[in-house]
Amino acid sequence: MIEQTSTEESVTRTLLKGLTLKELKDFFTAAGEKRFRGDQVFEWIYGHMAQSFDEMSTIPNYLRKKLNLYCELNTLTLVSTEISKRTGTKKYLFKTHDDLIVESVIIPEVKRTTLCISTQVGCPLDCQFCATGLMGYKRNLSSGEILDQFLMASVEYGKNKISNIVYMGMGEPLLNYTNTLKTLQIFAEQKTKDISLRRLTVSTAGIAPKIIELADSGLKVKLALSLHSMFDETRNKIMPINKKYSLAENLEAVRYYAKQTDTRITFEYVMLKDINDRTDDLNALIKLCKSLPCKINVIPFNSISHMAPTGLAHELQPSQKFRVDEFVKTLRDNDIVVMVRYTQGDDIAAACGQLAYKFEKNSKVDA
Ligand code: SAH
């Protein structure tokens, strides 16, 4: 489906950003133009990151005029950026055409620069440790809006500087499956080869049937499962989506994913005191990791107490440092690959699950 937008003059314009190569070719063919115009415009939008049709110098004048009249290119406006003096993490706030806030974060590291993007405004999942859940759910982002976070941040930060993209911002990518998949199809094309699928990670709370669908899509993107506990009883409490798609279903799905795509699964594990940091948790995790190609991202919990959540969310505490260290050491002693994701950019509220919240509350933070 090609998305259309109405402007004040009530001209219905076709939004080109977010269309796959095939959709762009079909669009130009249907408009009575040469099919290769689709290839050219694809390269301009995603390769050269053009922000206007006027920049597309290989497109003849008459066609650029038509595109200006009947098509739309950009989906987001950059509202502000904020940089953490401590870590160099840079937060981007964008606005959609319907005035919603979308947030992305660039995390510079020694060997790579990772962009974290959002796939929904808010999130319907209500994970108890996550600030995005507390915002409620507004809507899915279009494929153009998901891509524009990368394109606009790249233009601002420096083209070719972003080496990795993680779908770990606001929202659940696999509940916005069609649009997320479209963006992966776009990144899979030869013309956008600067970011290969091997440098893209889709992170999910566990929507088992969609994990299978993604495995069968042929797009060998990396997959992260927000595991957080090996026990349904605990997972049901901290991640209510587990009542719909159980741990067993999700683990079967990720095993299938690893096999089909020949990739290693990343398990994310936010460490919560007395909830998922007990010896039983550790032993169950070791057993799992020995059974499939994987690595673990241990994430110290970023407290969300400043948001005054109620119920279980209110009681959650980060695991103590010594317990995190013990956990990590034991996993490593068992030959399991572990990364510890220390909070990046907490001084600018750019930590996972905290996106867009500060802006909504209009409180300026010192970076
Ligand atoms: N819905 C997807 C992607 C968004 S969350 C998912 O669940 O994977 C991205 C990651 O941030 C997840 O692993 C999530 O569990 C983690 N996260 C959310 N809130 C957090 C918090 N307060 N502290 C640390 N990690 C958090």
Side-chain angles (χ1 to χ4, degrees):
M1 258 305 281
I2 288 175
E3 189 169 329
Q4 301 203 307
T5 56
S6 293
T7 65
E8 276 165 31
E9 313 91 62
S10 74
V11 178
T12 306
R13 291 165 181 264
T14 302
L15 177 63
L16 297 193
K17 196 175 281 171
L19 298 191
T20 61
L21 182 57
K22 179 175 182 306
E23 284 175 333
L24 276 171
K25 286 181 180 178
D26 290 348
F27 171 77
F28 281 100
T29 311
E33 297 292 335
K34 299 249 165 49
R35 201 163 168 79
F36 75 87
R37 297 289 178 215
D39 294 273
Q40 289 179 315
V41 170
F42 185 94
E43 192 150 7
W44 277 109
I45 298 179
Y46 308 115
H48 303 302
M49 302 180 180
Q51 293 191 309
S52 72
F53 292 120
D54 296 327
E55 286 170 53
M56 303 184 178
S57 55
T58 54
I59 306 296
N61 250 331
Y62 82 91
L63 189 53
R64 269 189 266 160
K65 275 193 192 141
K66 261 180 150 179
L67 292 175
N68 272 318
L69 271 178
Y70 301 113
C71 297
E72 197 96 68
L73 188 59
N74 297 322
T75 66
L76 301 174
T77 335
L78 181 59
V79 178
S80 66
T81 62
E82 214 172 339
I83 192 155
S84 159
K85 282 185 188 145
R86 197 168 57 81
T87 59
T89 296
K90 192 165 189 179
K91 184 166 77 164
Y92 290 80
L93 288 183
F94 300 104
K95 204 149 91 174
T96 62
H97 63 85
D98 50 349
D99 275 343
L100 296 170
I101 293 296
V102 177
E103 186 165 326
S104 324
V105 180
I106 290 184
I107 306 154
E109 287 170 290
V110 182
K111 287 196 183 146
R112 58 185 171 191
T113 298
T114 303
L115 171 71
C116 173
I117 54 174
S118 301
T119 51
Q120 297 182 315
V121 182
C123 184
L125 290 187
D126 200 26
C127 297
Q128 293 298 294
F129 46 81
C130 179
T132 308
L134 289 175
M135 283 174 57
Y137 168 69
K138 303 265 169 46
R139 69 166 170 85
N140 277 336
L141 292 176
S142 68
S143 52
E145 288 166 331
I146 299 172
L147 269 159
D148 238 350
Q149 296 168 66
F150 165 65
L151 298 172
M152 294 186 76
S154 292
V155 169
E156 198 281 338
Y157 198 77
K159 285 183 193 171
N160 300 322
K161 283 206 176 148
I162 296 167
S163 59
N164 295 64
I165 301 178
V166 291
Y167 289 57
M168 289 185 191
M170 287 191 289
E172 169 51 48
L174 299 190
L175 287 182
N176 185 9
Y177 185 77
T178 308
N179 293 335
T180 297
L181 192 76
K182 267 194 191 191
T183 64
L184 301 177
Q185 285 166 341
I186 290 167
F187 282 120
E189 295 292 344
Q190 186 59 20
K191 289 182 169 64
T192 49
K193 63 183 178 317
D194 291 343
I195 294 258
S196 82
L197 288 182
R198 294 266 167 189
R199 289 173 167 271
L200 255 59
T201 303
V202 172
S203 176
T204 178
I207 314 293
K210 293 293 173 192
I211 294 176
I212 305 275
E213 235 180 290
L214 190 61
D216 290 337
S217 72
L219 297 164
K220 294 176 192 259
V221 66
K222 288 203 281 185
L223 185 75
L225 176 69
S226 292
L227 181 63
H228 308 327
S229 170
M230 278 300 291
F231 300 100
D232 275 318
E233 202 191 338
T234 307
R235 245 179 149 252
N236 285 345
K237 281 191 208 147
I238 59 175
M239 306 174 77
I241 188 68
N242 193 67
K243 292 178 199 156
K244 190 158 181 197
Y245 306 109
S246 70
L247 189 56
E249 276 175 84
N250 276 306
L251 292 180
E252 200 186 315
V254 297
R255 274 182 215 288
Y256 179 76
Y257 192 91
K259 220 166 115 200
Q260 286 294 99
T261 59
D262 195 21
T263 57
R264 193 158 63 158
I265 302 295
T266 300
F267 291 116
E268 288 157 283
Y269 204 91
V270 171
M271 290 205 59
L272 301 165
K273 185 166 183 280
D274 300 332
I275 290 191
N276 64 4
D277 66 355
R278 304 157 309 163
T279 305
D280 280 357
D281 297 304
L282 185 55
N283 290 338
L285 196 53
I286 292 170
K287 197 167 165 212
L288 170 72
C289 291
K290 295 210 164 197
S291 71
L292 82 165
C294 66
K295 65 171 184 174
I296 302 192
N297 274 356
V298 166
I299 318 170
F301 171 52
N302 285 306
S303 172
I304 52 166
S305 58
H306 59 286
M307 294 182 67
T310 53
L312 176 65
H314 172 73
E315 288 156 35
L316 298 176
Q317 305 266 331
S319 298
Q320 285 165 292
K321 169 103 175 44
F322 83 89
R323 188 57 186 148
V324 176
D325 292 346
E326 261 175 13
F327 219 80
V328 170
K329 183 176 181 309
T330 315
L331 290 167
R332 287 188 178 145
D333 287 347
N334 277 276
D335 295 327
I336 295 160
V337 180
V338 187
M339 303 285 292
V340 186
R341 291 260 162 239
Y342 287 107
T343 302
Q344 297 266 341
D346 50 349
D347 52 338
I348 55 165
C352 291
Q354 303 199 332
L355 305 184
Y357 175 74
K358 287 248 174 177
F359 186 85
E360 289 219 327
K361 291 282 168 204
N362 269 333
S363 63
K364 183 88 187 88
V365 254
D366 286 325

